[in-house]
Amino acid sequence: MGYRVVVAGATGNVGREMLNILAERQFPVDELAVLASRRSLGTEVSFGDKTLTTQDIDTFDFTGWDMALFAIGSDATKVYAPKAAAAGCVVIDNSSLYRYDPEIPLIVPECNPQAIHDYKNKNIIANPNCSTAQMVVALKPLHDRARIKRVVVSTYQSVSGAGKDGMDELWDQTKAVYNPTTDVPPNKFQKQIAFNVIPQIDVFMEDGSTKEEWKMVVETKKIVDPSIKVTATCVRVPVFVGHSEAVNIEFEEFLDEDEARDILREAPGIMVIDKREPGGYVSPIECAGDFATFISRIRQDSTVENGINLWCVSDNLRKGAALNAVQIAELLGREVLKKG
Ligand SMILES: NC(=O)c1ccc[n+]([C@@H]2O[C@H](COP(=O)([O-])OP(=O)(O)OC[C@H]3O[C@@H](n4cnc5c(N)ncnc54)[C@H](OP(=O)(O)O)[C@@H]3O)[C@@H](O)[C@H]2O)c1
């Protein structure tokens, strides 16, 4: 016996990827409902070799469904997640709506699987921001060995992190550069993204940081350890899929770069590709479609007492969203619901 699973936002970037990953990982699905807004009613989406037709979330009855993987943005989540949770269906949510609620677990299964049992507080589990998810997978095993004091991270985030409209904007603007008769002004992004980089993701906060940067700070604390200080600069780059991060980590204890490399090689969810030769590292185009978070360029930072630098790349639609959500579903199944 398997699970009755709902995927909400099945027509979106993350929703489609959740369907792919549920199929790839052979998640024990007995029945699958795919939902979107009324706009997309009847749209066909793929699940393995099957084609499913989307239903309108507004008229869907969540009663009797085991779990619902949501990727519909915060506004719609605010309306539909409480309905699903009240009907006894556990929501695994990709939006930022519930991540900072102390009663709702925010989970990266490689880091804090024990938090799964807090699902019962509200029948809702939150999935972290894409840039946080890939970073904490690398931080956690290093923190367990040498206690992280401070992290300085600069991100290079792909346009798919802004949904399917973000990908269209990069594509259309890139074509328009070569065919200047069509003008594609910035819409999803604040400035032209084609052949450019933009040091703003999400809105500005009072202290001059952006909300994306703030998310990396508070989510790392909630998932790994509240004592870790994080400062982030988040940048949008003209890459379709795959977020990259340059991460500088300061530890309480000395950690040799070779030991750090060995720890990361053994860590769940991580693939170390770190040859000190031209091309001996991973770039985002190589990580698209992969499950792993790739770590390269591991080296000592001798400008601080106990410092390590590394380069971290992952498919933001996978580890940053859909894969992590499916891993949470697997954890929920294994530890709590115990079917399948
Ligand atoms: N992309 C990433 O890397 C990433 C990473 C982490 C988290 N997330 C989060 O995941 C969520 C989805 O992101 P995305 O990138 O997949 O966006 P997207 O490609 O724009 O897709 C949005 C999906 O939400 C559905 N939707 C929108 N408004 C709705 C409503 N009122 N009722 C029901 N369904 C509605 C859309 O359905 P229609 O086709 O009917 O419009 C579509 O299926 C967001 O909360 C985002 O913050 C994204």
Side-chain angles (χ1 to χ4, degrees):
M1 203 171 63
Y3 298 95
R4 298 188 75 216
V5 179
V6 178
V7 171
T11 53
N13 272 346
V14 174
R16 285 178 193 272
E17 210 55 45
M18 290 197 294
L19 291 169
N20 290 338
I21 294 171
L22 286 167
E24 280 170 35
R25 291 171 77 96
Q26 299 183 320
F27 188 81
V29 173
D30 266 4
E31 199 180 343
L32 185 63
V34 288
L35 313 182
S37 75
R38 192 161 300 152
R39 286 184 296 275
S40 309
L41 180 68
T43 302
E44 293 191 334
V45 293
S46 303
F47 172 60
D49 53 10
K50 296 194 185 73
T51 301
L52 303 172
T53 306
T54 55
Q55 306 177 51
D56 178 5
I57 196 171
D58 204 41
T59 52
F60 185 77
D61 181 2
F62 287 90
T63 312
W65 293 83
D66 294 302
M67 53 178 92
L69 280 60
F70 269 53
I72 58 173
S74 293
D75 291 344
T77 302
K78 197 183 268 178
V79 177
Y80 301 110
K83 267 177 80 176
C89 173
V90 182
V91 173
I92 299 170
D93 180 35
N94 274 287
S95 82
S96 58
L97 184 66
Y98 295 111
R99 290 179 194 154
Y100 317 111
D101 181 332
E103 288 199 82
I104 291 185
L106 175 67
I107 299 181
V108 172
E110 292 88 343
C111 300
N112 61 339
Q114 71 287 352
I116 193 74
H117 298 285
D118 294 337
Y119 88 94
K120 56 176 150 348
N121 294 344
K122 292 196 176 169
N123 246 7
I124 297 174
I125 302 165
N127 208 28
N129 185 45
C130 41
S131 46
T132 310
Q134 69 183 68
M135 182 173 77
V136 295
V137 173
L139 294 185
K140 173 72 168 121
L142 300 176
H143 183 61
D144 287 346
R145 159 64 183 83
R147 311 293 304 166
I148 295 171
K149 279 171 36 180
R150 179 171 183 254
V151 176
V152 183
V153 54
S154 301
T155 71
Y156 307 74
Q157 296 181 224
S158 69
V159 293
S160 57
K164 52 188 190 256
D165 293 348
M167 297 180 84
D168 289 345
E169 192 158 312
L170 173 58
W171 179 245
D172 293 340
Q173 278 181 358
T174 304
K175 285 190 295 184
V177 167
Y178 293 104
N179 179 15
T181 51
T182 30
D183 184 28
V184 185
N187 178 29
K188 194 77 191 170
F189 302 111
Q190 300 80 9
K191 294 188 183 239
Q192 176 181 315
I193 186 62
F195 304 98
N196 201 9
V197 297
I198 303 172
Q200 182 193 345
I201 302 182
D202 213 331
V203 295
F204 273 93
M205 312 280 288
E206 247 176 41
D207 67 356
S209 63
T210 63
K211 188 131 186 236
E212 185 83 353
E213 291 157 359
W214 175 85
K215 287 174 192 169
M216 292 192 81
V217 175
V218 295
E219 292 179 21
T220 302
K221 287 177 182 291
K222 187 166 174 180
I223 296 164
V224 185
D225 189 331
S227 72
I228 297 177
K229 293 179 186 161
V230 179
T231 180
T233 302
C234 293
V235 180
R236 188 74 70 191
V237 297
V239 168
F240 281 105
V241 177
H243 287 359
S244 308
E245 300 176 344
V247 191
N248 176 264
I249 313 166
E250 208 179 327
F251 297 91
E252 277 175 21
E253 292 167 36
F254 178 74
L255 179 63
D256 179 73
E257 60 187 23
D258 291 331
E259 190 184 350
R261 196 173 294 108
D262 288 344
I263 290 170
L264 291 168
R265 275 208 180 99
E266 295 299 315
I270 298 254
M271 181 84 82
V272 174
I273 308 247
D274 192 18
K275 295 186 195 142
R276 293 179 170 180
E277 61 187 39
Y281 42 79
V282 172
S283 63
I285 215 158
E286 294 150 295
C287 79
D290 222 303
F291 284 147
T293 293
F294 293 91
I295 306 294
S296 310
R297 306 286 325 277
I298 302 164
R299 62 209 189 275
Q300 222 77 48
D301 171 13
S302 55
T303 66
V304 290
E305 208 174 336
N306 300 314
I308 291 277
N309 284 309
L310 53 83
W311 174 247
C312 171
V313 178
S314 196
D315 182 329
N316 53 295
L317 299 177
R318 292 203 154 211
K319 188 59 198 167
L323 170 63
N324 200 68
V326 173
Q327 286 178 295
I328 293 173
E330 290 168 347
L331 182 64
L332 182 72
R334 211 166 46 241
E335 298 293 323
V336 181
L337 304 179
K338 299 189 176 166
K339 288 190 192 173

